Amino acid sequence: MTNQEILSIALSQSAIDCNCKSEDFLAEKNVITFSRPSAGARKYLPLPLECDLVSYGSNIVAQVSEHTLGPVRDFIGRYPAMRCFETPNLLALDDALRPLDLRVCFMAEYFLPDVTRLRALSCPYSLRILTDFSSLYTGPWNNALSPDHPERDVLGVGAYDGGALVGLAACSADCETMYQIGVDVLPAYRRQGVAAAVTSRLALEILALGKVPFYCAAWSNIQSVRNAVTCGFRPAWVELTARETAFVDRMNA
């Protein structure tokens, strides 16, 4: 699979998620669509969304509802695309959404593999391919696994010190063509290359299945971003989602 093929698959998936066309993400002007449920969307997206902004770097594709159309259109038309994802400009969107009982909630950067740089990295511990995670959902693996949706966890790579699991990268089958990677390493085993070893090996295993591995991190999670870059992943798109005020309040509580 080439880098262009990987990007094309990601763009197609984003188009399903955002109720638009793949080429909309590469346009010079912003695109606004009405959010709709879709059977092919990433399974964790609670579609329809009131306000969701996606940028692959050229523009913004915004999916909205009828009552958020005006505020979102005004906001993304006021600032350059990249400024819409940072403060202080982002505060203007939050202010505009607050009367609609919505707040800016999730912000993340998504990474795709660069197949010219992706390679299997090593660490001091043995690696094993895993497909059964039933004994791990009560352990310290909540970033790697999906406890609320274990049926989505399809493949993993574990690092073992003797018989003890010390690091785990696993992927969630969030849609038909793309598997999302999450990773956890026990505190005593960090800074030894464990995260990079399990992540890079898992990414290669996913590609061997004919699927696209993708990786998500908050922009402020420097350790996670470094791991992605070390393994050969590169920034692909950013996404911002607003949710109901009560939802945000529950998360903050």
Side-chain angles (χ1 to χ4, degrees):
M1 198 178 298
T2 67
N3 285 341
Q4 186 56 47
E5 288 170 336
I6 288 172
L7 177 60
S8 178
I9 290 170
L11 288 168
S12 295
Q13 184 59 49
S14 290
I16 293 171
D17 298 339
C18 297
N19 189 33
C20 66
K21 300 176 182 178
S22 297
E23 55 266 30
D24 288 340
F25 297 99
L26 306 179
E28 293 184 5
K29 295 183 179 181
N30 295 327
V31 175
I32 299 177
T33 70
F34 287 109
S35 187
R36 298 284 187 267
S38 173
R42 282 175 286 159
K43 295 175 183 177
Y44 58 86
L45 293 178
L47 298 174
L49 292 167
E50 295 282 355
C51 171
D52 184 71
L53 311 183
V54 175
S55 178
Y56 275 77
S58 299
N59 67 343
I60 291 175
V61 172
Q63 57 173 323
V64 301
S65 66
E66 290 187 3
H67 69 287
T68 57
L69 171 61
V72 173
R73 180 177 54 202
D74 292 346
F75 173 71
I76 66 174
R78 192 183 314 167
Y79 307 109
M82 70 174 183
R83 300 299 181 193
C84 292
F85 294 86
E86 64 180 15
T87 56
N89 298 343
L90 191 56
L91 297 177
L93 176 62
D94 194 66
D95 287 344
L97 294 177
R98 192 173 303 195
L100 302 175
D101 200 29
L102 298 167
R103 302 294 303 274
V104 171
C105 186
F106 297 116
M107 297 173 60
E109 185 171 23
Y110 289 83
F111 298 77
L112 292 172
D114 179 348
V115 295
T116 68
R117 301 181 64 88
L118 181 66
R119 65 193 188 283
L121 301 174
S122 62
C123 71
Y125 307 101
S126 61
L127 303 183
R128 303 179 195 171
I129 304 296
L130 303 174
T131 56
D132 181 3
F133 308 102
S134 56
S135 64
L136 302 179
Y137 289 105
T138 57
W141 314 111
N142 285 343
N143 289 314
L145 297 175
S146 309
D148 294 335
H149 296 282
E151 72 281 357
R152 298 179 191 169
D153 295 326
V154 295
L155 187 65
V157 175
Y160 287 82
D161 184 0
L165 180 65
V166 301
L168 174 66
C171 61
S172 174
D174 291 331
C175 54
E176 177 61 30
T177 58
M178 302 178 70
Y179 289 177
Q180 181 170 193
I181 293 177
V183 60
D184 285 296
V185 178
L186 297 183
Y189 291 86
R190 293 171 186 169
R191 298 183 182 277
Q192 299 181 55
V194 175
V198 295
T199 301
S200 60
R201 175 67 182 278
L202 179 58
L204 290 168
E205 295 290 335
I206 294 170
L207 285 168
L209 294 175
K211 308 295 183 179
V212 172
F214 71 105
Y215 189 108
C216 175
W219 68 269
S220 56
N221 191 343
I222 301 301
Q223 290 179 330
S224 186
V225 172
R226 283 176 177 165
N227 181 52
V229 172
T230 298
C231 294
F233 283 79
R234 293 292 178 263
W237 78 93
V238 293
E239 189 161 0
L240 179 153
T241 307
R243 294 294 303 272
E244 299 78 10
T245 301
F247 178 90
V248 176
D249 289 343
R250 285 195 301 271
M251 294 197 69
N252 285 331

